[in-house]
Amino acid sequence: MSTIETAAPRTYEVKTYGCQMNVHDSERLTGLLEEAGYVPSPEGEYADVVVFNTCAVRENADNKLYGNLGHLAPVKAKRPGMQIAVGGCLAQKDRATITKRAPWVDVVFGTHNIGSLPVLLERARVQEEAQVEILESLEVFPSTLPTRRESAYAAWVSVSVGCNNTCTFCIVPSLRGKERDREPADILAEVRALVAEGVSEVTLLGQNVNAYGVEFGDRQAFGKLLRTCGDVDGLERVRFTSPHPAEFRDDVIAAMAETPNVMHQLHMPLQSGSDRVLRAMRRSYRREKYLGIIERVRAAMPDAALSTDIIVGFPGETEEDFAQTLEVVREARYAAAYTFQYSIRPGTPAATMPDQVPPGVVRERYDRLVELVNQIAWEENQKQVGSRLELLVAEGEGRKDAATHRMTGRARDNRLVHFTSVVEEPGTSVSSVVEERGTSVSSVVEERGTSVSRPMSEIRPGDVVEVEVTYAAPHHLVADGPVLAHRRTRSGDAWEVRTPGDEPGNAVTLGMPTVGRPAASSSGC
């Protein structure tokens, strides 16, 4: 009796660059590929299909993409059937040049048609020629597509796509299109479905998230949406990014302060503290309005942690303009700031503006800004020493956790906390040894072994712990004491049922800290 051999499923890898939108789009790309029968590639092996989800915001985005494509060219030449696809904002912008510069690319697709990827891959395979498909507007709202969530316990939820602003430094509106809003009922249905699957934290996502409702004429729609999220049973934390100061309303501040599961954390892009530069950027707010928002947020939520985006060296920026930015940073006292050296992006109005600031001047100002930002962040973090914080335990955010015998989590205000995952058993007196020696809990645990505590494995990503902060650095906190409380959660259960072989095959090369999800760099408006 003859047997029929079944071909092994084709493997995939998605490499992501850029903003939170791209991270979430990559979750959809993995969902589409898996629905089409692809499986994640094993770690350390080249995939049969490599997808680059690109960003066009930074100056070196092109170099990074073509460098990676160049690296894969000889690999593909030795692997018959291997395919390479390029999508995202850079694909939308450079649609005519990608296959000319890298003729070994099989598929180019844009921001408006990510759902076409499996069909384009198959068409390229059958026809043995590159497929380029770029749409100028959305045909299907992305949230209707299959999604392979990167995290079992935290999720992105898109409330809108596109942007109606015309900032002179930003190319995103021309690549993502005009703002389109989802119906509130569709958003809430997705949130409830995620909670039913074990998710305990959602981040509402939009290019200009607080403008939500503009398409159907309700200026208070976003505040209402936050309050409605407060009624979802099992949803413990709600965040959102990124808002625009010009449209940040008091009803949103009230919703944040009065809805228990909406976190007291706000990422509010500044870009510049100079009214003259803000005008040149076409930012439709001024310094006084911005600081007024910060003041009202702090009055309503004294414990709120604020973060921002700042561009240094915008065309025409003088030393006086830069000094005004430093003044706003001192007054706002950000817990974190994501700072960028201005770079020319072809296709933006700023690219052709006169008085481009010399690179050496930009770098010197940037260094001064970073020094101030780090100092203030450190001072703000030092205020947390001795406080008791509730953490949502994260996965993959503490790169040194194994070496330090720690785990990592996010506080409710989004601060990153590395904690010693020890729940002290009666009679072990770990704390007294730590106090007597002036050492750390981790060193005592290493000396005595697991007999002094419950096993680390009892605390899972997605669980909730309470810890006391013992040390502060500019970008993180440390809690080197016994865990004060540990609550096993449905999110932890959801994480636990994911087997190692079931982890997504995505490499996300981004920079900003996150909450139990893929890291996300900020390019907020």
Side-chain angles (χ1 to χ4, degrees), residues 341-362:
Q341 297 180 56
Y342 172 77
S343 59
I344 294 175
R345 300 309 296 138
T348 64
T352 57
M353 285 183 176
D355 301 323
Q356 299 283 332
V357 182
V361 175
V362 176

Side-chain angles (χ1 to χ4, degrees), residues 166-170 270-283 310-319 321-322 325 340-345 348-359 361-363 365-366 369:
T166 58
C167 301
T168 55
F169 58 81
C170 186
L270 170 65
Q271 307 304 7
S272 175
S274 163
D275 285 351
R276 195 184 68 81
V277 173
L278 289 172
R279 191 176 297 111
M281 289 178 167
R282 283 193 208 145
R283 301 287 289 176
I310 300 172
I311 297 172
V312 177
F314 187 81
E317 181 190 72
T318 65
E319 182 61 28
D321 293 323
F322 178 66
T325 296
F340 306 91
Q341 297 180 56
Y342 172 77
S343 59
I344 294 175
R345 300 309 296 138
T348 64
T352 57
M353 285 183 176
D355 301 323
Q356 299 283 332
V357 182
V361 175
V362 176
R363 179 70 200 186
R365 290 177 186 169
Y366 176 81
L369 175 62

Side-chain angles (χ1 to χ4, degrees), residues 397-418:
E397 291 202 63
R399 296 179 182 177
K400 299 179 181 178
D401 282 354
T404 59
H405 302 278
R406 293 187 181 115
M407 297 182 75
T408 295
R410 289 279 175 179
R412 294 176 67 84
D413 64 7
N414 205 37
R415 282 183 167 91
L416 185 71
V417 183
H418 306 296

Side-chain angles (χ1 to χ4, degrees), residues 163-180:
C163 180
N164 293 339
N165 293 313
T166 58
C167 301
T168 55
F169 58 81
C170 186
I171 198 170
V172 170
S174 65
L175 304 178
R176 291 278 181 179
K178 293 293 185 181
E179 180 172 328
R180 289 189 57 185

Side-chain angles (χ1 to χ4, degrees), residues 318-329:
T318 65
E319 182 61 28
E320 181 181 353
D321 293 323
F322 178 66
Q324 291 173 13
T325 296
L326 297 181
E327 288 175 6
V328 174
V329 170

Side-chain angles (χ1 to χ4, degrees), residues 182-484:
R182 295 177 70 189
E183 290 294 329
D186 293 341
I187 297 170
L188 267 296
E190 182 178 356
V191 170
R192 292 190 179 99
L194 289 167
V195 172
E197 294 170 4
V199 167
S200 60
E201 174 181 297
V202 299
T203 300
L204 304 177
L205 187 61
Q207 213 76 52
N208 183 5
V209 69
N210 59 310
Y212 172 73
V214 65
E215 194 174 20
F216 47 83
D218 184 355
R219 296 184 66 193
Q220 296 190 345
F222 188 65
K224 294 174 183 176
L225 181 63
L226 290 177
R227 292 182 185 275
T228 306
C229 286
D231 296 329
V232 178
D233 289 339
L235 181 59
E236 297 194 22
R237 295 185 176 191
V238 178
R239 306 184 192 275
F240 59 90
T241 196
S242 288
H244 194 295
E247 296 162 296
F248 201 80
R249 299 168 53 87
D250 287 349
D251 63 291
V252 173
I253 297 175
M256 292 177 66
E258 297 167 8
T259 310
N261 65 355
V262 176
M263 298 297 94
H264 292 181
Q265 173 232 339
L266 180 64
H267 184 78
M268 180 68 76
L270 170 65
Q271 307 304 7
S272 175
S274 163
D275 285 351
R276 195 184 68 81
V277 173
L278 289 172
R279 191 176 297 111
M281 289 178 167
R282 283 193 208 145
R283 301 287 289 176
S284 46
Y285 59 89
R286 298 295 176 260
R287 168 191 176 129
E288 183 178 356
K289 176 170 183 170
Y290 184 94
L291 288 173
I293 294 170
I294 300 301
E295 183 179 357
R296 294 195 299 279
V297 167
R298 287 235 159 91
M301 296 167 283
D303 61 336
L306 307 179
S307 58
T308 196
D309 297 330
I310 300 172
I311 297 172
V312 177
F314 187 81
E317 181 190 72
T318 65
E319 182 61 28
E320 181 181 353
D321 293 323
F322 178 66
Q324 291 173 13
T325 296
L326 297 181
E327 288 175 6
V328 174
V329 170
R330 292 187 186 98
E331 189 165 344
R333 298 198 64 79
Y334 300 111
Y338 306 102
T339 52
F340 306 91
Q341 297 180 56
Y342 172 77
S343 59
I344 294 175
R345 300 309 296 138
T348 64
T352 57
M353 285 183 176
D355 301 323
Q356 299 283 332
V357 182
V361 175
V362 176
R363 179 70 200 186
E364 189 274 335
R365 290 177 186 169
Y366 176 81
D367 289 343
R368 277 191 282 154
L369 175 62
V370 169
E371 183 178 4
L372 177 62
V373 163
N374 287 343
Q375 181 60 39
I376 291 174
W378 193 8
E379 291 170 2
E380 291 300 303
N381 273 353
Q382 286 172 328
K383 296 176 183 178
Q384 300 292 319
V385 174
S387 62
R388 180 167 174 157
L389 300 181
E390 178 195 271
L391 309 181
L392 176 63
V393 181
E395 179 182 28
E397 291 202 63
R399 296 179 182 177
K400 299 179 181 178
D401 282 354
T404 59
H405 302 278
R406 293 187 181 115
M407 297 182 75
T408 295
R410 289 279 175 179
R412 294 176 67 84
D413 64 7
N414 205 37
R415 282 183 167 91
L416 185 71
V417 183
H418 306 296
F419 66 97
T420 307
S421 49
V422 174
V423 183
E424 195 171 33
E425 298 289 6
T428 57
S429 64
V430 175
S431 301
S432 61
V433 175
V434 169
E435 184 175 354
E436 178 183 337
R437 296 184 185 175
T439 186
S440 68
V441 169
S442 58
S443 64
V444 178
V445 172
E446 189 171 14
E447 172 190 316
R448 295 191 177 189
T450 57
S451 62
V452 302
S453 64
R454 300 184 199 173
M456 181 186 298
S457 60
E458 286 195 7
I459 300 177
R460 310 161 301 174
D463 282 353
V464 173
V465 299
E466 291 187 22
V467 299
E468 182 177 317
V469 178
T470 57
Y471 172 80
H475 305 298
H476 68 268
L477 301 171
V478 173
D480 250 349
V483 171
L484 304 175

